[in-house]
């Protein structure tokens, strides 16, 4: 805010008014000079008026002096006080100026005397010199003093009425203006100086604020390599109370101060000084990370500036270093177990294999927890994670300089042995690890005993291919799981060949599925009452161009492993519907759907589309589902089965009796038929208990309103017992012939006696 009577800022105006009351002693000297001069004029002229004027001048000067002494310049700090004090000052100055002006007017005009005139002019001009210098702080005071002290002389000269005095009087008027302009100039100069000083002060304050609020420590070195600027952060990081204590010190002295405070060692001092000096010399802005004895990390940066000035900054980067270390740890170690992860394990093994004796033997083993999925499914993933952690702790017990352990993910652990004497030595080590892992562990109140399968390989270190060793150990692991689990196998060359053959077979199978090269055959399902064909089960066959017919027991598991089993299911479904639509009623067709098929609601759309495209009535199609599909997700599977059944399609439970809780499905799922697994027929001709069990299952299923099919009928003895004692609805098996092509089923359905003489013999044998 600016003063209403001026054009300068308030603080500057206050400062100007304060200057009016500085050094009042000058006014006392002026008063004495005026008194002496007036007394001399009185003594010279003997005019009483001069004596009176002398007293008045002396009194006015003393009054002004006393008035100024009563005001302390330091007390003028705000605008209202300054306005009042300026008014007070003007009153006193006006009184003194008026008295001096009256003295000059009398001396020049009323009582003309050469000495008096000279004295008056001397007093006025002498006072005029001080008007601008003494009173610049008040524009009004300058104008009033100019008019009261010099104006009367100009007026007196012009009143003398002669041309010379009149002109002389006129010339005094510009002099008065000059005095006022000089005062104005002084004010402007001072105002500019004050403004620039304020700017400089403000800039310095901003610089100081910016410097001392930096998160970095900063020191600036002068041409003599000593500190000329330092901030508060630098003082704190170095361990001194104030920045002033850093000024004038050399770089070495600063580092030694840090060493004295126990922050760094003296040896580190020399290294840091050398590196920073080199960076300053090169001007490359080099950065240097230093770890202090208290665990803090400082990052130094040095850069040479202009005018031979250099800047060194240092920042506390402890949090950043810790975060980077945490990121490195997360990138290298498993978050659950703290063991090296797969990527870091590769680095560790690679480093081990390139050092030491290149002729030594090394080994690598992969351990896989058996049936870990069932633990997660039954006890929950937190318990599963707890078991993995407990296993990792046990394995860590075996780790040393020559044994490196990693968790590759899931339930798979890998162990690298850097020095193996022979196969017996490796067997002893693996057996010891297996024995240590067999101990029972307590996880969240659950007593668990882990069971592992493992595969191992040992080779010379010069093999120098960790990934290759992992592949070979993985092949041995696969073999261990195939041969019964809870054991370990050593890699053999034949495993590699089998693996390669399997990969080739996978590729060929994928191509065959994409090309639609698989074919569908149909196994008849016989009505036990009249031994006629009522429906057929669609079966997939693959004729390999080089290997010939590949067993479904081989390529179906491969398709499940590859994730293409659903593609096969859809192809078989569509082909079965198209062929069945050509057969006469009431012959229907049954299609197996895998567990993977029921992981998506799209299976319902596939069934609907297959029926629509083929024109097959829905009641002639039967979908077979295994207990495996139900176990994967009982709720969603049941939902999809109900939707499929809503289309008019029949639902059959395949391979009944081979699961974990088969009986519970008979009343919880939307089933029309139960297909009893062939395993129930194996002992019925020799074991009465097996026969009674089969009879009980059939009886229970029939009471629930389900149609019963028995699979795997292969002998006449089995047929006779089934016909006389068990009495299922339908039969299926090689006894009734091998699977036929679609045209074979169509031709068979057109004959009066489906199987000719063979069927006749079956009827007679069954007592029909």
């Amino acid at each position: 805010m600016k003063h209403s009577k001026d054009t300068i800022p308030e603080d500057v105006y206050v400062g100007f008014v304060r200057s009016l009351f500085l050094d009042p002693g000058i006014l006392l000297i002026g008063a004495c000079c005026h008194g002496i001069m007036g007394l001399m004029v009185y003594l010279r002229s003997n005019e009483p008026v001069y004596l009176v004027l002398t007293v008045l001048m002396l009194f006015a000067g003393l009054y002004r002096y006393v008035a100024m002494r009563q005001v302390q310049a330091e007390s003028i700090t705000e605008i209202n006080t300054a306005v009042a004090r300026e008014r007070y000052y003007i009153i006193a100055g006006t009184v003194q100026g008026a008295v001096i002006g009256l003295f000059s007017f009398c001396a020049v005009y009323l009582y003309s005397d050469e000495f008096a005139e000279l004295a008056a002019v001397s007093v006025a001009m002498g006072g005029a010199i001080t008007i601008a210098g003494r009173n610049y702080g008040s524009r009004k005071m300058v104008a009033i003093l100019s008019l009261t002290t010099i104006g009367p002389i100009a007026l007196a000269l012009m009143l003398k009425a002669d041309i010379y005095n009149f002109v002389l009087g006129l010339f005094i008027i510009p002099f008065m203006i000059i005095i006022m302009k000089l005062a104005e100039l002084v004010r402007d100069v001072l105002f500019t100086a004050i403004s620039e000083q304020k700017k400089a002060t403000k800039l310095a304050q901003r610089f100081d604020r910016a410097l001392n609020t930096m998160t970095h420590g900063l020191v600036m070195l002068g041409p003599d390599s000593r500190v000329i600027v330092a901030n508060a952060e630098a003082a704190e990081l170095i361990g001194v109370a104030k920045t002033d204590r850093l000024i004038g010190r050399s770089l070495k002295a600063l580092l030694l101060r840090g060493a004295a405070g126990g922050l760094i060692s003296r040896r580190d001092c020399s290294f840091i000084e050398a590196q920073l000096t080199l960076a300053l010399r090169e001007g490359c802005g080099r950065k240097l990370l230093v770890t202090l004895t208290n665990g803090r990390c400082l990052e130094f940066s040095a850069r040479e500036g202009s005018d031979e000035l250099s800047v060194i900054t240092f920042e506390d980067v402890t949090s950043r270093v810790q975060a980077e270390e945490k990121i490195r740890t997360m990138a290298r170690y498993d978050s659950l177990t703290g063991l090296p992860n797969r990527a870091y394990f590769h680095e560790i093994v690679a480093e081990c294999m390139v050092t030491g004796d290149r002729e030594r033997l090394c080994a690598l083993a992969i351990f896989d927890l058996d049936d870990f999925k069932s633990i997660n499914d039954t006890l929950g993933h937190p318990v599963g994670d707890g078991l993995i952690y407990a296993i990792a702790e046990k394995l860590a017990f075996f780790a040393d300089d020559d044994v490196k352990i990693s968790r590759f993910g899931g339930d798979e652990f890998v162990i690298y042995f850097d020095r193996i004497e022979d196969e017996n030595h490796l067997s002893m080590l693996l057996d010891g690890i297996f024995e240590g892992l067999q101990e029972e562990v307590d996880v969240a109140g659950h007593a668990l005993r882990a069971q592992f399968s493992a595969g191992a390989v040992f080779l010379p270190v010069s093999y120098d291919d960790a990934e290759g060793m992992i592949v070979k150990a993985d092949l041995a692991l696969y073999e261990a799981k195939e041969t019964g689990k809870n054991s370990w196998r050593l890699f053999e060359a034949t495993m590699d060949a089998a693996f390669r053959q399997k990969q080739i077979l996978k590729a060929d199978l994928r191509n065959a599925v994409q090309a639609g090269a698989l074919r569908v055959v149909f196994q008849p399902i016989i009505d036990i009452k009249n031994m006629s064909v009522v429906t057929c089960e669609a079966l997939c066959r693959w004729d390999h161009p080089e290997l010939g017919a590949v067993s479904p027991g081989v390529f179906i598991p491969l398709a499940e492993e590859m994730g293409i089993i659903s593609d096969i299911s859809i192809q078989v479904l569509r082909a079965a519907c198209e062929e069945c639509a050509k057969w006469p009623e009431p012959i229907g067709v049954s299609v197996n759907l895998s567990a993977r098929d029921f992981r998506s609601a799209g299976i319902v759309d596939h069934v609907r589309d297959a029926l629509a495209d083929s024109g097959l009535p829905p009641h002639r199609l039967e979908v077979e589902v295994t207990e495996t599909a139900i176990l994967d997700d009982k709720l969603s599977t049941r939902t999809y089965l109900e939707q499929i059944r809503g289309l008019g399609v029949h639902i059959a439970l395949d391979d009944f009796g081979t699961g974990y809780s088969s009986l519970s499905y008979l009343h919880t799922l939307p089933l029309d038929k139960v297909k009893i697994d062939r395993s129930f027929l194996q002992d019925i001709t020799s074991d009465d208990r097996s026969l009674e069990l089969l009879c009980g299952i059939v009886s229970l299923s029939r009471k629930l309103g389900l149609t019963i099919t028995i699979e795997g009928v292969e002998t006449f003895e089995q047929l006779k017992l089934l016909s006389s004692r068990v009495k299922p609805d339908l039969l299926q098996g090689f006894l009734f012939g091998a699977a036929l092509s679609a045209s074979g089923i169509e031709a068979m359905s057109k004959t009066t006696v489906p199987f000719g003489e063979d069927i006749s013999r079956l009827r007679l044998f069954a007592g029909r």
Side-chain angles (χ1 to χ4, degrees), residues 145-165:
L145 287 177
S146 298
L147 290 173
T148 57
T149 58
I150 303 174
I153 295 178
L155 179 62
L157 291 174
M158 288 187 289
L159 288 176
K160 285 188 176 184
D162 64 279
I163 187 64
Y164 298 104
N165 284 300

Side-chain angles (χ1 to χ4, degrees), residues 369-380 383-384 387 448:
L369 188 59
D370 294 334
D371 302 319
F372 181 63
K373 184 177 183 298
S374 64
I375 295 176
N376 278 334
D377 291 342
T378 56
L379 301 179
V383 175
L387 178 60
L448 303 176

Side-chain angles (χ1 to χ4, degrees), residues 267-283:
R267 195 169 93 178
D268 288 340
C269 280
S270 301
F271 173 76
I272 297 170
E273 181 187 7
Q275 293 298 314
L276 292 178
T277 301
L278 180 62
L280 291 173
R281 188 182 304 121
E282 295 176 351

Side-chain angles (χ1 to χ4, degrees), residues 541-552:
R541 296 291 183 263
W542 179 26
D543 296 319
H544 193 279
E546 297 176 0
L547 303 177
V550 180
S551 169

